[in-house]
Amino acid sequence: MFSYWEQKNFFNYDLIVIGSGFTGLSTAIHFKKDHPKASVLILEKGVFPTGASTKNAGFACFGSLTEILDDFWKMTPEEVFELVKRRYRGLRQIRKNFGDATLKYKPNHGYELLEAENAAAADQIREVNKLLKALFKKDVFSLVKKPQKFGFSDRIKFVVENKFEGELDPGAYLGALWEKASELGIRILTGVAVVEIQKEEGVVLAENLAKNRIFEFKAEKVAICTNAFSKKLWPESDLEPGRGLVLLSKPLAEKIPWKGSFHMDKGYVYFREIDGRLLLGGARNKDFEKEKTLEFETNPKIKAHLQNLAKEVIFPGRKLEWEMEWTGIMAFGPKKSPLIQTIGKRTAVAVRLGGMGVAIGWQVGKELSRLLSKM
Ligand SMILES: Cc1cc2nc3c(=O)[nH]c(=O)nc-3n(C[C@H](O)[C@H](O)[C@H](O)COP(=O)(O)OP(=O)(O)OC[C@H]3O[C@@H](n4cnc5c(N)ncnc54)[C@H](O)[C@@H]3O)c2cc1C
């Protein structure tokens, strides 16, 4: 039973955004900036955002050398260029808007480890640099002259450096978005899961954590920003979930002889140093089918693979103890670009951010906000 005041003040909005990850918060912020008088509500099922945005590795990256080379099999050079451009611009925009100190951004460069089976990629550096010159004005990729300084095993034949990449704290970035949204007067309700949307009417049905009460909200416009979890609200979509595992070691006794964000295996494996610890994640390509899931569980096969890589390749001969692990779920589909489209008279979505949400989330939110403004 709701009071007259509750019904009058808490249920009707100009825009309701579902999901408070990078995309949802960015969408709400851009919309509110363009329409200061609009009432905007965000509904988030977690007590705080619990999607990929707070589970990721914090790489401020736009594609490793082998990842870009791999893209050439499925895309034209122009499409590959546009993809990199969108990601790099996205990174520059969040740094400009929130500042490096707030994001805990470190310009420590990106690196890729090449083993014998992908060492041929080193021969294509010049060609990829040529393609990207129009955007970066300088060479993006180069070979590290003395890779032995990193202390990796001799399985690593080359280390490729990318001086335009960095790393940040994704929780700090999310926190900054959250604060900006609050400053602008955007309401955020957490612990409320949306269970149904009537796309043409703008009706949003949500239930509380105890699942004992349904709330019927209404909006002029509805934005679905639930990424991997969108299938329930948009069953016709061809989104595929992809789980990612992250392991975090205890602080190492000796100093780590490198810094930066490192990739291996066409970008499927990634690692960085954080607070004297090793953060290591990925490898869903070692069990692709099982990782197409929305369950936040650890796949033992992938965990063992990552732990072996740490022992045999990253820190050969060093003692390493693990302290934490977690999983997060991304959304993929037939194309690498995000899906930003209307799916009803009053409803639009922005989903499928793949493994690049740090770079593109803000811009995707801007594009969804523009689309909503035109509806
Ligand atoms: C392990 C891992 C490592 C990654 N590493 C990187 C990296 O280093 N760099 C990079 O750029 N990207 C990385 N990514 C990808 C990046 O995190 C995502 O692309 C990005 O976070 C997607 O943001 P989003 O806002 O679209 O989705 P999400 O962050 O998933 O947000 C969706 C939100 O919707 C909420 N929600 C879901 N269903 C409902 C519902 N029914 N009602 C209400 N709320 C709901 C969820 O709780 C969640 O908070 C990684 C991802 C993972 C999983």
Side-chain angles (χ1 to χ4, degrees):
M1 212 195 306
F2 295 108
S3 74
Y4 177 67
W5 316 115
E6 286 164 341
Q7 291 194 36
K8 202 171 158 189
N9 289 290
F10 300 143
F11 286 95
N12 293 289
Y13 295 87
D14 293 312
L15 171 68
I16 293 180
V17 177
I18 306 161
S20 68
F22 298 146
T23 309
L25 283 163
S26 301
T27 302
I29 292 169
H30 286 294
F31 191 85
K32 185 74 177 169
K33 277 187 172 170
D34 289 344
H35 310 279
K37 292 203 173 123
S39 53
V40 180
L41 172 72
I42 302 180
L43 296 173
E44 165 57 51
K45 80 171 170 190
V47 169
F48 47 80
T50 47
S53 300
T54 46
K55 312 273 188 213
N56 66 67
F59 280 35
C61 58
F62 50 81
S64 69
L65 175 69
T66 58
E67 212 178 334
I68 291 175
L69 288 172
D70 209 34
D71 286 344
F72 282 117
W73 292 101
K74 295 159 233 145
M75 291 183 229
T76 64
E78 292 74 30
E79 283 173 327
V80 174
F81 181 84
E82 284 308 314
L83 198 67
V84 172
K85 185 165 132 187
R86 179 182 213 147
R87 294 167 180 169
Y88 183 58
R89 287 224 165 129
L91 287 174
R92 289 211 311 210
Q93 280 171 15
I94 58 167
R95 292 179 63 194
K96 193 171 148 213
N97 274 284
F98 298 100
D100 288 354
T102 303
L103 300 173
K104 301 203 168 73
Y105 178 87
K106 294 184 207 148
N108 284 342
H109 299 190
Y111 294 88
E112 180 168 18
L113 278 50
L114 298 182
E115 295 182 77
E117 62 265 32
N118 48 21
D123 299 333
Q124 285 168 282
I125 288 182
R126 191 187 292 195
E127 198 130 334
V128 177
N129 281 341
K130 205 167 136 197
L131 176 87
L132 300 178
K133 199 85 172 199
L135 179 60
F136 294 91
K137 312 294 176 215
K138 289 182 180 163
D139 284 347
V140 174
F141 297 107
S142 58
L143 283 181
V144 172
K145 290 208 176 68
K146 287 188 184 152
Q148 307 85 321
K149 68 182 178 188
F150 295 127
F152 301 137
S153 86
D154 56 12
R155 261 172 64 183
I156 303 308
K157 303 301 172 206
F158 298 107
V159 177
V160 181
E161 182 169 1
N162 174 343
K163 49 176 129 7
F164 292 93
E165 289 188 340
E167 42 188 334
L168 52 70
D169 174 337
Y173 172 28
L174 208 286
L177 286 167
W178 190 293
E179 269 170 36
K180 185 84 216 160
S182 305
E183 238 172 64
L184 290 169
I186 294 165
R187 278 188 190 162
I188 305 176
L189 297 183
T190 63
V192 205
V194 172
V195 288
E196 189 187 322
I197 301 171
Q198 291 163 18
K199 298 183 192 76
E200 309 300 321
E201 295 79 17
V203 172
V204 176
L205 300 178
E207 67 184 3
N208 59 355
L209 279 179
K211 296 190 176 182
N212 59 4
R213 185 145 217 190
I214 292 285
F215 298 78
E216 186 174 323
F217 296 96
K218 192 146 192 321
E220 288 301 312
K221 294 159 200 233
V222 179
I224 302 179
C225 302
T226 44
N227 206 31
F229 310 94
S230 303
K231 201 95 186 167
K232 264 191 212 154
L233 306 176
W234 183 30
E236 310 81 49
S237 73
D238 60 359
L239 286 174
E240 210 162 64
R243 184 168 60 190
L245 171 65
V246 178
L247 307 177
L248 189 75
S249 78
K250 290 186 175 170
L252 274 85
E254 299 157 59
K255 195 173 177 297
I256 295 180
W258 42 259
K259 57 183 177 177
S261 39
F262 288 75
H263 284 105
M264 290 179 71
D265 199 3
K266 290 184 186 158
Y268 280 111
V269 172
Y270 38 85
F271 63 93
R272 61 184 278 204
E273 179 270 339
I274 183 81
D275 301 332
R277 303 159 185 266
L278 172 68
L279 179 152
L280 170 64
R284 74 189 165 86
N285 58 332
K286 296 297 162 203
D287 204 351
F288 255 134
E289 287 312 309
K290 279 212 181 121
E291 293 307 285
K292 291 179 185 172
T293 172
L294 290 174
E295 301 301 320
F296 289 95
E297 280 160 11
T298 297
N299 180 327
K301 188 174 165 189
I302 290 178
K303 182 174 171 178
H305 175 74
L306 289 173
Q307 288 183 332
N308 272 339
L309 279 180
K311 207 165 61 185
E312 289 169 13
V313 178
I314 304 172
F315 289 129
R318 274 220 207 174
K319 196 168 173 284
L320 194 69
E321 286 180 89
W322 296 101
E323 185 169 310
M324 278 179 79
E325 65 187 51
W326 65 86
T327 52
I329 324 275
M330 294 165 273
F332 298 94
K335 284 201 157 191
K336 270 198 163 178
S337 47
L339 260 181
I340 308 169
Q341 65 175 77
T342 53
I343 58 163
K345 205 167 81 186
R346 293 178 189 275
T347 308
V349 298
V351 291
R352 201 174 70 190
L353 278 80
M356 288 288 167
V358 170
I360 61 174
W362 178 250
Q363 178 61 26
V364 168
K366 191 174 195 171
E367 288 173 35
L368 177 59
S369 162
R370 277 196 201 138
L371 181 65
L372 290 160
S373 300
K374 286 191 210 139
M375 281 165 61

